[in-house]
Amino acid sequence: MYRDERWKLITYHGKDIAELFDLDSDPWEHRDLSRNPEYAVVLADLLRRSFDAMVRAHPPDNPR
């Protein structure tokens, strides 16, 4: 799960499933926008930021 002030992204890794919610207009998360082409740019941006945050959260491996 990744979220910012407005958006919430839930991904199910290995299942090719995601959920995207606009918390400003849908705070109870009833309308999944992930398959709506109008939100494809938002979805791609949140996926990238989610991946970047995950990479930063894990220290690099020890050198060999």
Side-chain angles (χ1 to χ4, degrees):
M1 194 248 331
Y2 181 81
R3 66 172 288 173
D4 64 13
E5 309 81 39
R6 178 175 180 182
W7 302 101
K8 181 175 181 180
L9 171 69
I10 302 166
T11 55
Y12 299 92
H13 298 284
K15 304 243 185 237
D16 196 27
I17 298 171
E19 295 175 314
L20 175 65
F21 300 101
D22 181 347
L23 299 176
D24 283 351
S25 65
D26 181 23
W28 297 102
E29 302 172 16
H30 291 289
R31 291 182 306 273
D32 177 12
L33 304 171
S34 64
R35 303 227 184 248
N36 185 328
E38 293 179 30
Y39 296 94
V41 172
V42 174
L43 179 63
D45 180 54
L46 289 170
L47 285 168
R48 180 191 54 79
R49 291 193 293 160
S50 171
F51 180 77
D52 290 348
M54 182 181 64
V55 169
R56 285 191 306 271
H58 295 284
D61 291 336
N62 293 330
R64 294 180 183 209

